[in-house]
Amino acid sequence: MRRTLFEQDHEDFRLLVRDFIAREVTPVYEDWRRAGLVPRDLFTAMGKLGIIGTAVPQEYGGGGRDDYRFNVVIQEECARACVTLGGLRTHLDVVVPYFTGLASAEQRARWFPGLASGDLYTAVAMSEPGTGSDLAGITSRAVRDGAHYVINGSKTFITGGHHADLVIVVARTAVDPDDRRAGLSLLVVEKGMPGFTVGRKLEKIGLTVQDTVELSFADVRVPAANLLGEEGAAFTHLGRNLAQERLAIAVGAVAQARAAIDLTVTYVRDRTVFGRPVAAFQNTKFELAAMATELEAAQALLDAAVTAHVTGGLSPVDAAKTKLFCTEAQGRVVDRCLQLHGGYGYILESPIARLYADARVSRIYGGTSEVMKTIISKSLGL
């Protein structure tokens, strides 16, 4: 079906991103995969081309276009090339909106030029070893001491934490025994602050070039000027961006599922079994027809959700529905595509194998499928 989501500016931007990936990423991606990390200067290079600063106001060197569809284009082009760019999705879709939505005038002057140029790369530190999705159970503490907050605690599963220059840390600045959600604040910790330690890089099933690390904070003195938003209001601040975070995961899910189908169509046409192309067997045709139809439904739902988000009308429930449907569809599609690749699909040098491994986390991070179902069921009065 014809998509109507994008305008000419987005398609021009798509060509810029596609060309950058073809020149700067694809030829060296296998080296990055073996190293388990993308190079830090990747983001600076993207910043120079204006790829990652679109949402930053023009007065700070950005594109001045706070239009989520540009982020969608980046994800679609990465999926088309079967590459991932480390924690870039988290930086753009999750973290930068906290800065653009909450930063004071002084903080904007300090940080926005670097966000636009790619000289500042970000992460957000929410999850803790004992909390997982239960943000209200966060135990990391930030105690006010004059003009500083002193942070103690640890975080885990932090995407982009290895490269990050700025880390938004969710810490407890007050304790309210009657409301666990109260008393959480957002503090921006800068690379190199004494007591701030980047721990081990966690080895994952998929997304192997994405740096996912543990962080620890031992008496880290953070200037009070680095408080992002209101003290004690972190839970509210975090909730405002959840819809986009979940939408972003759905965008990646659909784009990667489409890439899987495209790879598989090419493979079954070229691969011969029992003297016939795999594409000639009825099972192959039926499987791909069913997958293409399911993906079309996911794309329609996703595009409607992105349109609603761009116009300010995407509800948390609709975001949950979109993430649930699109990520579950991704899991089914990529699994069936790998099956049609046979033994070659199980070899990591095959792009379909990477897509398969990367897909599994889509139903976990940003809220598990079970969490999405809980949100949706509440909207039904259950």
Side-chain angles (χ1 to χ4, degrees), residues 234-364:
F235 212 92
T236 300
H237 295 329
L238 295 171
R240 287 175 183 163
N241 196 45
L242 268 179
Q244 178 165 302
E245 180 179 353
R246 289 166 177 166
L247 182 62
I249 296 169
V251 168
V254 172
Q256 289 154 26
R258 185 171 300 282
I261 290 177
D262 290 344
L263 283 171
T264 306
V265 168
T266 299
Y267 180 83
V268 298
R269 283 173 174 165
D270 295 339
R271 176 68 170 165
T272 300
V273 177
F274 303 124
R276 301 169 61 193
V278 175
F281 292 90
Q282 186 183 67
N283 178 69
T284 304
K285 297 175 181 180
F286 281 10
E287 283 288 283
L288 282 164
M291 286 187 273
T293 303
E294 183 170 19
L295 182 62
E296 202 68 49
Q299 188 74 75
L301 175 63
L302 177 63
D303 284 0
V306 171
T307 299
H309 182 57
V310 170
T311 58
L314 182 66
S315 70
V317 173
D318 287 343
K321 289 177 180 177
T322 305
K323 180 183 185 295
L324 175 66
F325 186 86
C326 292
T327 57
E328 293 289 340
Q330 176 195 21
R332 290 189 294 269
V333 166
V334 177
D335 181 79
R336 291 155 79 183
C337 284
L338 186 146
Q339 185 71 20
L340 287 173
H341 278 74
Y344 286 103
Y346 201 66
I347 305 303
L348 272 178
E349 66 185 33
S350 169
I352 193 65
R354 297 199 300 269
L355 287 171
Y356 177 84
D358 291 351
R360 189 58 187 90
V361 75
S362 298
R363 288 169 277 166
I364 297 173

Side-chain angles (χ1 to χ4, degrees), residues 28 32 46 77 98 119 149 197 212 225 262 279 297 300 349 351 358 375:
V28 293
W32 296 356
M46 297 182 80
E77 289 306 307
Y98 292 130
D119 291 325
Y149 288 91
T197 303
T212 304
D262 290 344
E349 66 185 33
D358 291 351
I375 293 169

Side-chain angles (χ1 to χ4, degrees), residues 81-356:
C82 294
V83 300
T84 56
L85 301 182
L88 183 63
R89 183 196 65 80
T90 301
H91 167 77
L92 289 179
D93 295 344
V94 180
V95 190
V96 169
Y98 292 130
F99 284 100
T100 56
L102 298 172
S104 65
E106 183 275 329
Q107 290 171 337
R108 286 174 170 243
R110 234 192 320 153
W111 293 324
F112 279 22
L115 293 178
S117 67
D119 291 325
L120 289 180
Y121 182 66
T122 65
V124 60
M126 291 186 273
S127 297
E128 296 182 355
T131 61
S133 298
D134 181 19
L135 296 183
I138 283 175
T139 60
S140 294
R141 291 296 309 274
V143 178
R144 186 67 181 261
D145 181 20
H148 291 79
Y149 288 91
V150 180
I151 302 180
N152 284 281
S154 60
K155 301 288 183 177
T156 192
F157 306 140
I158 308 306
T159 298
H162 179 83
H163 283 317
D165 305 287
L166 304 176
V167 179
I168 299 177
V169 178
V170 185
R172 190 167 294 283
T173 50
V175 178
D176 184 343
D178 297 320
D179 185 358
R180 294 194 310 142
R181 298 184 175 187
L184 294 173
S185 301
L186 303 180
L187 291 161
V188 180
V189 175
E190 301 175 38
K191 179 181 285 187
M193 285 183 168
F196 171 39
T197 303
V198 177
R200 66 190 179 104
K201 181 177 177 289
L202 302 173
E203 299 299 322
K204 306 182 297 298
I205 292 174
L207 297 176
T208 53
V209 301
Q210 176 179 292
D211 53 318
T212 304
V213 300
E214 297 173 328
L215 303 177
S216 64
F217 307 88
D219 292 329
V220 180
R221 296 183 66 82
V222 180
N226 283 23
L227 175 69
L228 196 60
E230 298 178 29
E231 182 177 302
F235 212 92
T236 300
H237 295 329
L238 295 171
R240 287 175 183 163
N241 196 45
L242 268 179
Q244 178 165 302
E245 180 179 353
R246 289 166 177 166
L247 182 62
I249 296 169
V251 168
V254 172
Q256 289 154 26
R258 185 171 300 282
I261 290 177
D262 290 344
L263 283 171
T264 306
V265 168
T266 299
Y267 180 83
V268 298
R269 283 173 174 165
D270 295 339
R271 176 68 170 165
T272 300
V273 177
F274 303 124
R276 301 169 61 193
V278 175
F281 292 90
Q282 186 183 67
N283 178 69
T284 304
K285 297 175 181 180
F286 281 10
E287 283 288 283
L288 282 164
M291 286 187 273
T293 303
E294 183 170 19
L295 182 62
E296 202 68 49
Q299 188 74 75
L301 175 63
L302 177 63
D303 284 0
V306 171
T307 299
H309 182 57
V310 170
T311 58
L314 182 66
S315 70
V317 173
D318 287 343
K321 289 177 180 177
T322 305
K323 180 183 185 295
L324 175 66
F325 186 86
C326 292
T327 57
E328 293 289 340
Q330 176 195 21
R332 290 189 294 269
V333 166
V334 177
D335 181 79
R336 291 155 79 183
C337 284
L338 186 146
Q339 185 71 20
L340 287 173
H341 278 74
Y344 286 103
Y346 201 66
I347 305 303
L348 272 178
E349 66 185 33
S350 169
I352 193 65
R354 297 199 300 269
L355 287 171
Y356 177 84

